[in-house]
Amino acid sequence: MNTLTIDQTLFTGNPITEEGIYLWKNSSGIEMIEVYRVPAKKEYGLSWDSYLAVKGHRGRSVEHLVGQFMKVEFK
């Protein structure tokens, strides 16, 4: 089995601005998260803007995540 070693200095505190897979470094450790866009919605006279959410976290907005991030891409 191959091992991937990640330099933790590559994590950045910049906010997530696009969909994709990220490593999220927080106070509990490092977690892989998938970020997707929730479309804007209007119903019952109320409207919500589109936002980026974390899959598996009940649609929680990425704006509520505290920590550092690194985008992951697979070939």
Side-chain angles (χ1 to χ4, degrees):
M1 177 184 289
N2 293 328
T3 301
L4 174 63
T5 304
I6 298 172
D7 183 353
Q8 292 196 27
T9 62
L10 297 175
F11 284 86
T12 177
N14 296 339
I16 295 174
T17 58
E18 60 185 30
E19 295 177 298
I21 297 174
Y22 291 83
L23 290 177
W24 171 33
K25 182 178 169 186
N26 56 47
S27 61
S28 299
I30 297 176
E31 182 179 341
M32 185 177 288
I33 58 173
E34 184 176 345
V35 175
Y36 66 99
R37 180 161 301 281
V38 175
K41 179 166 113 171
K42 185 174 187 176
E43 64 181 46
Y44 309 115
L46 300 172
S47 62
W48 294 268
D49 292 334
S50 173
Y51 67 94
L52 292 170
V54 181
K55 188 174 186 177
H57 285 244
R58 297 181 353 212
R60 183 179 203 180
S61 173
V62 297
E63 293 178 0
H64 296 116
L65 300 179
V66 176
Q68 296 179 318
F69 307 95
M70 178 174 33
K71 187 165 185 183
V72 178
E73 294 181 1
F74 298 95
K75 289 184 182 184

